[in-house]
Amino acid sequence: MRGAVVIGVDNISHMAKLSASRDADKVEQWLVGEGFEVKKFTDARGVEVTEDDLYRAVKDFVDRSNLDMLLIYFAGHGFANGRTEFWMLSGAPENPNRVVSLFQSMLFAQYCGVPNVVLISDACRSIPATPQLQMLESGSAIFPNFGPNDQGGNVDTLKAASFGAPAYEGPIVSEIAAKGGIFTDVLMGAFRQPSVDMTDTLDTGEVIIKNSKLKDYLRAEVNRRAQAISITSRQFPEITVNSDSYIAKVHTQVRSGSTAVPPVSPRDVLNYQLRKTGVSFDSGFDRLTSDFEIEASQSFAKFEDLKVALSDNNYAVSFETQTGISVVGGRVSEYVVAPYLSASEVSMNNIGVSLDTPCAEVLVEFEGQSFSVLPVIKGFITNVAWGPTGIASVTFVPSSNAPRWSEYAVSRDRIDELHAIIASASTLNGFRIEGNPETRERRAEAMADDIRLGKSVDPTLGIYAAYAYAQAGLERKVQSVANFMRSDLEFEFFDLAMLAEWRARAEGGTLRSTLFPLWPMLAQGWEYLLPYQMSTDYSLQELRPFLLPSLWTTLGPQAKLRVRQIIETRISAP
């Protein structure tokens, strides 16, 4: 049994009218022909599409407990805010409830009990340009929240554009004088006459295209169609596949030859960079490419520029106190510590901290009055790279006069390079673990070996790894990293506790200790606060509207007074 919820929203106030409802009509017809039971929602006849409508439709499918696949298709206006994206329904943005959080929906879909969920989004993922959209920071989920459970399934996402980029409408190949979403038309077109390398044959003799084999075709053909509209247009779909499932069969003749080669993606560059660094972690190759092709690509140039910017080695090497913060790329205008701490500015942008406990935190304000709260770890220097939109990178490196330095010094160049590579890949939304469950487990094991620093876990890579594990549904791996780092460093990172202990919280448990810092370090962590039921003695949701679009949490100056009050009343580390 396969079900689908198909959504098309043409009309959003003060935005261009789309042809999304026509795309929804075509997708409905296509899926019905493939044996799906389809529930369709469009505003074509003036009927509003609401979050309640969609939730009830999804829940009805989920409650049947007999679905092999549930597919959600959306065409309409979308945008990105923070590190996630949203779909706009009828009445948005004036009605803030009429915004669907794709992240929360993906998370709840994983535990809804359906073995395979496919989310298809033909919507923009552009950064909002108006304060009205910037204030829409939470959104609604259209899947029921059953909490963490052992019924986790595979969730595949097919998104029309890369993060921060638009998705275009254009002429539809099969129709005259008609417009529609390029991504939708190309997706359905993949099944009309695919190349032989895209297909598999079932035992019944029927020919299919697995979701995993749509990647190259969609990236190549969607971008070709976008450039046909305008030579300056670029559109690169982002496809994440965690299953061996398929949407439809092929009913026409299969072409000989191969799929057109798509442009080099950030994930291609990531794999290349990791291989060059001697890292065994297999993040999953999108395709096989030559080193020359990768190095000649625009993706490589962009990736390399980011990596070079994050590879600044002008950080302080040591502090007399063995602990502190060192900033490059921006100027520190002020810092605030809790009353129990002693800190002093050793030199420009270098703050030494006397620390008798395993960890504490410091509020650091940068030029322009944007700020963040950063942990200081006994024996480590917290290195901070300031970028155009806020904090671009944070790394934790042992001070050269601290006990852990000898472990770090043995592999210093490799570790510093790895920090820059993973930060660059994360900025481009390319650091993920994909594949079927067995493949994800294998890749996770490889990553576990590469985040070790001697007998310890590198704190920086441990945080990145925990998020990659969480996104891949590898709960045991998240808990392993969190437990190891808690034991080794004798305190708990906020991010790791949030990701590792959400099952315990859902069952009525409480956190075991004070967490550092007082919020998620990586900005994407704010998306987990509500669905992971993360509560604190202070309200993080009231601070969320002031988040800047940086990789690591950075807030605008309007929130500084409130955060300063929290810092000055926080207790010391356990």
Side-chain angles (χ1 to χ4, degrees):
M1 172 68 181
R2 303 204 294 175
V5 177
V6 173
I7 311 153
V9 181
D10 296 332
N11 302 292
I12 295 295
S13 179
H14 306 301
M15 292 187 174
K17 183 175 180 178
L18 300 177
S19 303
S21 61
R22 295 183 75 254
D23 286 337
D25 290 341
K26 289 183 287 189
V27 169
E28 176 193 32
Q29 184 179 5
W30 174 48
L31 294 179
V32 167
E34 293 298 323
F36 282 82
E37 178 185 339
V38 178
K39 299 177 184 289
K40 185 180 70 175
F41 299 88
T42 77
D43 62 350
R45 294 175 176 82
V47 178
E48 290 194 339
V49 178
T50 73
E51 72 284 0
D52 285 340
D53 293 335
L54 305 183
Y55 174 80
R56 284 195 294 267
V58 170
K59 190 171 187 301
D60 176 62
F61 277 129
V62 169
D63 287 347
R64 298 182 192 183
S65 303
N66 65 345
L67 258 64
D68 301 309
M69 175 183 286
L70 177 55
L71 183 147
I72 312 296
Y73 168 86
F74 175 82
H77 282 289
F79 66 95
N81 199 359
R83 302 297 296 181
T84 191
E85 58 263 32
F86 301 88
W87 296 338
M88 301 178 73
L89 306 180
S90 303
E94 290 88 350
N95 185 341
N97 299 312
R98 298 286 176 83
V99 179
V100 173
S101 167
L102 189 51
F103 172 81
Q104 287 192 47
S105 297
M106 289 164 52
L107 178 64
F108 294 161
Q110 185 177 335
Y111 294 98
C112 74
V114 179
N116 289 296
V117 175
V118 181
L119 297 170
I120 302 175
S121 175
D122 195 349
C124 292
R125 302 173 72 199
S126 306
I127 305 300
T130 66
Q132 187 181 34
L133 289 182
Q134 291 167 357
M135 290 294 288
L136 297 173
E137 79 286 340
S138 56
S140 304
I142 59 174
F143 277 78
N145 176 15
F146 294 136
N149 57 61
D150 297 324
Q151 304 301 315
N154 295 309
V155 179
D156 297 343
T157 57
L158 286 68
K159 302 175 185 177
S162 53
F163 190 83
Y168 296 104
E169 285 193 338
I172 300 306
V173 173
S174 59
E175 301 179 43
I176 300 174
K179 288 182 65 178
I182 291 175
F183 179 74
T184 296
D185 195 50
V186 171
L187 174 62
M188 291 191 295
F191 295 86
R192 287 194 282 264
Q193 196 175 11
S195 58
V196 66
D197 62 330
M198 295 170 60
T199 63
D200 287 279
T201 303
L202 301 176
D203 293 340
T204 60
E206 296 170 302
V207 178
I208 62 166
I209 302 177
K210 291 183 179 180
N211 294 343
S212 58
K213 292 191 176 182
L214 288 168
K215 281 188 177 184
D216 285 356
Y217 173 82
L218 291 175
R219 281 183 56 82
E221 183 62 16
V222 167
N223 190 56
R224 185 192 69 78
R225 290 274 299 278
Q227 289 191 289
I229 299 173
S230 170
I231 193 65
T232 60
S233 298
R234 299 287 187 275
Q235 184 174 336
F236 301 120
E238 183 179 293
I239 315 297
T240 301
V241 178
N242 294 314
S243 74
D244 287 323
S245 66
Y246 66 94
I247 299 170
K249 302 182 183 70
V250 176
H251 300 286
T252 58
Q253 183 177 356
V254 177
R255 291 185 292 111
S256 60
S258 299
T259 306
V261 177
V264 173
S265 73
R267 284 179 60 78
D268 293 322
V269 180
L270 169 63
N271 283 299
Y272 169 80
Q273 297 271 12
L274 291 174
R275 179 163 48 84
K276 287 289 187 181
T277 311
V279 172
S280 60
F281 167 57
D282 172 15
S283 63
F285 285 87
D286 282 350
R287 62 197 180 95
L288 297 176
T289 55
S290 67
D291 291 354
F292 174 81
E293 182 184 359
I294 290 176
E295 292 178 358
S297 69
Q298 291 182 342
S299 288
F300 180 83
K302 187 174 182 179
F303 197 105
E304 195 67 13
D305 285 346
L306 271 172
K307 195 181 75 169
V308 169
L310 298 176
S311 298
D312 192 318
N313 60 0
N314 292 321
Y315 297 107
V317 177
S318 66
F319 288 104
E320 184 177 346
T321 59
Q322 299 184 358
T323 304
I325 296 174
S326 183
V327 177
V328 300
R331 185 177 63 84
V332 174
S333 55
E334 185 184 5
Y335 62 90
V336 178
V337 299
Y340 60 85
L341 278 183
S342 173
S344 61
E345 188 168 4
V346 177
S347 60
M348 177 65 73
N349 286 0
N350 294 312
I351 306 163
V353 179
S354 296
L355 196 60
D356 295 325
T357 53
C359 182
E361 56 201 356
V362 178
L363 186 158
V364 180
E365 181 185 270
F366 303 90
E367 51 193 337
Q369 299 185 309
S370 299
F371 72 96
S372 190
V373 175
L374 300 162
V376 284
I377 305 172
K378 190 173 182 63
F380 284 84
I381 299 174
T382 303
N383 291 332
V384 180
W386 183 256
T389 59
I391 296 177
S393 175
V394 175
T395 56
F396 301 98
V397 174
S399 179
S400 63
N401 57 347
R404 293 178 187 260
W405 171 262
S406 57
E407 283 184 309
Y408 167 72
V410 172
S411 306
R412 179 181 181 181
D413 290 343
R414 176 180 176 276
I415 293 169
D416 290 349
E417 175 83 353
L418 197 53
H419 285 166
I421 289 173
I422 301 304
S424 300
S426 297
T427 300
L428 298 172
N429 212 33
F431 188 59
R432 304 186 302 273
I433 300 174
E434 296 182 26
N436 60 35
E438 295 76 18
T439 301
R440 296 202 302 273
E441 283 286 345
R442 173 172 54 80
R443 290 171 178 168
E445 286 297 330
M447 182 191 287
D449 293 335
D450 288 316
I451 64 175
R452 295 195 179 279
L453 175 60
K455 296 180 180 179
S456 304
V457 169
D458 179 280
T460 308
L461 298 180
I463 293 172
Y464 281 123
Y467 277 101
Y469 291 153
Q471 290 166 353
L474 298 167
E475 186 177 332
R476 291 188 302 104
K477 298 297 182 184
V478 178
Q479 291 171 340
S480 176
V481 172
N483 292 341
F484 195 103
M485 289 179 64
R486 182 192 309 115
S487 174
D488 184 45
L489 298 174
E490 299 180 345
F491 78 94
E492 192 125 40
F493 275 108
F494 188 109
D495 305 64
L496 299 187
M498 176 180 68
L499 297 174
E501 299 182 28
W502 75 300
R503 184 185 292 265
R505 289 193 299 277
E507 295 171 353
T510 57
L511 294 173
R512 291 186 292 272
S513 61
T514 300
L515 309 179
F516 289 88
L518 58 84
W519 55 40
M521 292 200 66
L522 279 175
Q524 65 182 290
W526 291 74
E527 309 302 334
Y528 289 84
L529 292 174
L530 284 177
Y532 272 34
Q533 304 178 33
M534 193 70 181
S535 62
T536 59
D537 294 335
Y538 41 89
S539 173
L540 289 176
Q541 291 304 320
E542 69 176 340
L543 301 175
R544 184 175 174 135
F546 307 108
L547 272 175
L548 299 182
S550 54
L551 180 61
W552 294 76
T553 293
T554 314
L555 271 68
Q558 304 92 331
K560 182 183 173 184
L561 178 60
R562 174 62 183 130
V563 174
R564 182 170 187 154
Q565 292 170 342
I566 297 172
I567 288 289
E568 290 176 342
T569 57
R570 288 259 286 171
I571 63 173
S572 61

